[in-house]
Amino acid sequence: MEMTFAMIKPNGVASGLVGRLIERYESARLSICALKMHQMTSADAHGFYAEHVEKPFFPELEEYMTAGPSVMIAVGGENAIAKVRAINGATNPEKAEPGTIRHDFAPSMTENVVHSSDGKESAAREIGFWFKENEIYPHEAACQRAGCIMKK
Ligand code: CMP
């Protein structure tokens, strides 16, 4: 069981896609383990995207990411990191496979609708960036307590 970080970026939220995008993750037998809506500040953008701060596209990325609220999600399940990356599609929507979120919705490389962690280390860092430990609900524990009504 693995956990990854996914984010529905401001244009995804503004376009009313939150439900449809979360549906794609849950339909792939992934679980929402933590969820919040938050509008990034400039400091958030510098911290979260620390590795990109010096890149030429950062000013545009910062403007985009701070323009409205995003939905931050910790997604859990078997191979969650690879599965969410596959569901999101390539960073550049022109290269994203049909049926991926970015192919279906992203207008440009910068405004690419969703984010997902690219590996175990970044997943741990990114989940920890947005969530405290007591805000994360590992799926098995939640299932045991609340009961899962889905017929497998
Ligand atoms: P994301 O997966 O959130 O990681 C970094 C973000 O920077 C990326 O999605 C895009 O929104 C944005 N970006 C813009 N230009 C580039 C680029 N040339 N390479 C990578 N990311 C870019």
Side-chain angles (χ1 to χ4, degrees):
M1 211 42 93
E2 200 171 67
M3 223 183 272
T4 189
F5 177 70
M7 173 166 55
I8 303 174
K9 297 182 177 184
N11 57 343
V13 175
S15 306
L17 290 171
V18 173
R20 268 182 279 175
L21 301 189
I22 289 178
E23 226 274 311
R24 294 191 183 202
Y25 303 139
E26 288 188 322
S27 292
R29 301 220 168 183
L30 295 166
S31 308
I32 306 307
C33 300
L35 185 82
K36 72 167 75 163
M37 197 165 181
H38 173 76
Q39 182 160 356
M40 278 198 197
T41 62
S42 173
D44 289 331
H46 280 78
F48 182 72
Y49 283 122
E51 64 182 310
H52 296 309
V53 167
E54 301 301 330
K55 307 246 173 86
F57 60 81
F58 184 76
E60 199 185 325
L61 177 63
E62 180 187 359
E63 192 183 340
Y64 166 50
M65 294 307 304
T66 57
S70 295
V71 172
M72 317 309 189
I73 316 167
V75 181
E78 216 178 307
N79 296 320
I81 295 171
K83 275 190 185 165
V84 173
R85 281 172 66 76
I87 293 166
N88 286 357
T91 306
N92 182 349
E94 282 175 23
K95 295 191 177 147
E97 293 290 326
T100 62
I101 291 171
R102 284 163 170 164
H103 174 274
D104 292 351
F105 299 111
S108 70
M109 175 95 129
T110 295
E111 302 197 358
N112 63 357
V113 186
V114 281
H115 167 87
S116 51
S117 310
D118 63 8
K120 280 187 201 295
E121 255 177 54
S122 62
R125 183 188 83 82
E126 292 173 2
I127 291 169
F129 191 92
W130 297 111
F131 297 105
K132 298 185 200 118
E133 219 157 290
N134 68 359
E135 293 176 318
I136 301 166
Y137 298 87
H139 182 64
E140 276 74 14
C143 241
Q144 262 182 1
R145 280 195 299 272
C148 176
I149 57 167
M150 291 301 284
K151 296 179 178 127
K152 300 266 172 191

